[in-house]
């Protein structure tokens, strides 16, 4: 072990641009660390080399109630175009420099949505030379898009890319078209992939003892925090106003509107009121419309690039992409996904759960949200500080991009008191995804190494 640490010291010595002046024995130096997650954690190069993948802009539309809210008559491509346009206009980036646009989306037919996204890029001013593709990992699709772009930048495929998310649940309803392979009857887990999400919520509540009261309390707190954040203007930095129309269903009359505020928040929600709602998926169950995520419309976009590219362009760095994980869990209790994915992503970043200052955990259902929070022993004051999907809504493919914008802007507001943040969500058919971000101006010289004494590392290894 001692030899390994010495080898790391030598490597760090060579990587440091001013290595001839570095005193590796100094207590203020960053020591070589035990690798907790493979080479990427122990051997991350210093920031001056520009190897980091950074986020320089992250924006979203308002999130609106499907079929009843501000975007009920807005085509999906008209939702995506404004946020794609915003990330380049607000950074003064030449759109032709973007190497790829990856858009997470879930419900629309694949070929149709891919075409709509390509059309949206043209609306937003991107030239024909910039490619577009879609990705679908259900509720994590927006985060998967961001991770795919980060991976491509890290692999050297291009230096600048956009990870985005889009969902119009007004246009594309949840449902299954076509026949199911009868072979599914022979495989319980495959059969459980077809369970309604609400049934999996009931399974989590029953199996892990999450009470109706706990679920309703979590929902009320989500609405309270979202209402407070809205009143304080916290979302103004991340929301791009969208000019669209509202169509009167009776007369067909169109009214021009500009949507810039989330419209699903209920500031006066109470446990007493939610307690009156009947269970939706099970007669004696606990999952209701009030303690589940809202069916919503929305979009978001995240602009990523190499650190060196951002520095050359003089762009402020909003955040640093540190790690990503996607894991599988039992489809019958798919909501436990974050409890499985978060530790993997945190370890891959060379960190521990206690190092994370903020969490954005998608509130698909209160049952699974409460379970994941309790299972990981997380401080409730660190999670969804500005509300979550039970209040804001859950436009499936857009949620990951929405959470990225919300997390990074909140970390920026908190400054030095907030260095690391995590985004996570459960995924239909039994998966979980999570990603770790670092605040843009909070990066150590060696970003994934801890300032700890070498003998502590040796004693830890000995244990």
């Amino acid at each position: 072990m001692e030899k390994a640490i010495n080898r790391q010291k030598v490597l760090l010595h060579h990587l440091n641009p001013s290595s001839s002046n570095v005193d590796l024995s100094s207590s203020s130096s960053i020591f070589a660390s035990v690798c907790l997650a493979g080479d990427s954690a122990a051997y991350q190069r210093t920031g001056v080399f520009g190897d980091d993948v950074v986020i320089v802009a992250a924006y979203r539309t308002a999130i609106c109630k499907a079929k009843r809210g501000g975007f009920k008559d807005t085509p999906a491509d008209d939702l995506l175009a404004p946020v794609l346009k915003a990330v380049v206009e607000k950074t003064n980036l030449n759109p032709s420099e973007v190497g790829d646009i990856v858009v997470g989306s879930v419900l629309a037919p694949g070929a149709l949505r891919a075409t709509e996204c390509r059309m949206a890029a043209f609306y937003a001013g991107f030239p024909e030379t910039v490619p577009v593709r879609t990705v679908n990992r259900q509720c994590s699709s927006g985060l998967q898009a961001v991770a795919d772009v980060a991976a491509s930048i890290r692999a050297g495929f291009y230096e600048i890319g956009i990870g985005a998310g889009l969902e119009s649940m007004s246009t594309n309803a949840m449902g299954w078209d076509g026949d199911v392979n009868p072979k599914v009857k022979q495989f319980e887990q495959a059969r459980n992939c077809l369970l309604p999400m609400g049934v999996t919520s009931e399974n989590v509540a029953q199996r892990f003892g999450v009470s109706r009261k706990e679920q309703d309390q979590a929902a009320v707190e989500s609405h309270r925090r979202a209402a407070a954040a809205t009143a304080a203007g916290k979302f103004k930095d991340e929301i791009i106003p969208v000019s669209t129309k509202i169509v009167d269903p009776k007369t067909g009359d169109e009214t021009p509107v500009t949507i810039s505020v989330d419209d699903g928040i209920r500031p006066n929600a109470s446990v007493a009121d939610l307690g009156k709602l009947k269970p939706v998926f099970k007669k004696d169950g606990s999952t209701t419309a009030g303690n589940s995520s809202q069916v919503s419309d929305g979009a978001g976009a995240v602009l990523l690039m190499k650190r060196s590219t951002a520095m050359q362009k003089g762009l402020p760095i909003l955040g640093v992409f540190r790690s990503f994980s996607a894991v599988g869990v039992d489809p019958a209790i798919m909501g436990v996904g974050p409890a499985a994915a978060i530790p993997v992503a945190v370890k891959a970043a060379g960190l521990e759960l206690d190092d994370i200052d903020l969490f954005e955990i998608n509130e698909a259902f209160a049952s699974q949200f409460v379970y994941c929070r309790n299972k990981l022993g997380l401080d409730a004051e660190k999670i969804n500080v500005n509300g979550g999907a039970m209040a804001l809504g859950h436009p499936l493919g857009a949620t990951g991009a929405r959470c990225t914008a919300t997390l990074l802007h909140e970390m920026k507001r908190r400054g030095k008191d907030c260095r690391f943040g995590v985004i996570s969500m459960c995924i239909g058919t039994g998966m979980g995804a999570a990603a770790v971000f670092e605040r843009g101006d909070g990066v150590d010289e060696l970003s994934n190494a801890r300032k700890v004494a070498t003998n502590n590392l040796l004693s830890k290894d000995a244990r």
Side-chain angles (χ1 to χ4, degrees), residues 46-99:
T46 55
V48 295
F49 283 90
D51 286 345
D52 282 338
V53 176
V54 302
I55 296 94
V56 298
Y59 297 106
R60 67 176 179 94
T61 67
I63 306 301
C64 295
K65 294 176 287 189
K67 300 186 183 299
R68 297 179 294 134
F71 292 138
K72 71 181 184 68
D73 302 306
T74 303
D77 40 339
D78 282 341
L79 277 176
L80 180 60
V83 290
L84 292 181
K85 187 175 183 179
V87 292
V88 293
E89 281 195 345
K90 289 181 176 291
T91 55
N92 292 316
L93 181 70
N94 185 336
S96 65
E97 294 184 79
V98 174

Side-chain angles (χ1 to χ4, degrees), residues 366-381:
S367 61
Q368 57 84 212
F369 170 75
V370 171
Y371 166 79
C372 293
R373 181 188 67 195
N374 295 345
K375 175 66 175 178
L376 297 177
L378 304 180
D379 182 350
E381 296 304 312

Side-chain angles (χ1 to χ4, degrees), residues 380-453:
E381 296 304 312
K382 291 183 176 182
I383 313 170
N384 299 354
V385 295
N386 295 318
M390 287 185 283
L392 297 171
H394 177 26
L396 307 181
T399 287
R402 194 283 296 172
C403 288
T404 302
T406 301
L407 175 73
L408 293 180
H409 283 280
E410 181 62 27
M411 291 174 72
K412 179 181 178 181
R413 275 190 295 272
R414 297 191 176 209
K416 293 183 179 180
D417 292 332
C418 184
R419 180 170 176 184
F420 294 106
V422 163
I423 293 170
S424 186
M425 62 279 293
C426 58
I427 304 170
T429 71
M431 290 178 279
V436 178
F437 297 83
E438 187 169 6
R439 197 186 74 251
D441 58 353
V443 184
D444 283 340
E445 185 180 10
L446 186 65
S447 49
N448 281 346
R450 291 165 175 256
K451 292 184 178 180
V452 294

Side-chain angles (χ1 to χ4, degrees), residues 230-361:
T230 300
K234 288 188 175 182
F235 294 137
K236 288 183 178 179
D237 289 340
E238 64 190 67
I239 292 180
I240 299 300
V242 176
S243 296
T244 184
K245 63 185 179 184
I246 297 290
V247 180
D248 187 314
K250 295 181 179 179
T251 66
D253 293 341
E254 298 183 1
T255 303
V257 293
T258 298
I259 306 297
S260 59
V261 179
D262 305 309
D263 67 15
I265 303 168
R266 298 189 293 273
N268 298 320
S270 68
V271 173
D273 288 341
L274 292 188
K276 299 174 184 177
L277 299 176
K278 294 181 178 181
V280 178
F281 301 96
K282 188 178 179 183
K283 186 175 181 181
D284 58 346
S286 57
T287 299
T288 71
N291 59 34
S292 304
S293 59
Q294 299 182 37
V295 177
S296 310
D297 305 325
V302 181
L303 179 60
L304 301 94
M305 60 183 67
K306 289 176 61 176
R307 176 186 291 277
S308 58
T309 304
M311 292 173 67
Q312 290 168 6
K313 294 180 176 299
L315 293 173
I317 295 172
L318 187 60
V320 185
F321 188 92
R322 283 291 168 228
S323 68
F324 172 80
S325 69
V327 303
V329 298
D330 182 352
I333 51 171
M334 68 92 202
V336 306
I342 289 173
V344 177
V346 169
K347 183 178 180 180
L351 302 170
E352 298 175 2
L353 280 176
D354 288 343
D355 295 319
I356 308 303
D357 301 295
L358 283 180
F359 294 85
E360 282 286 331
I361 300 178

Side-chain angles (χ1 to χ4, degrees), residues 76 102-110 113-114 116-117 133-142 145 164-168 172 395-398:
V102 181
V103 185
S105 190
V106 178
L107 297 178
R113 184 47 45 87
E116 290 174 327
C117 291
R133 71 173 172 90
T134 57
V135 61
N136 187 347
R137 200 196 289 269
Q138 309 238 49
C139 298
S140 71
S141 298
L166 166 67
E167 207 70 58
S168 173
N172 306 110
L396 307 181

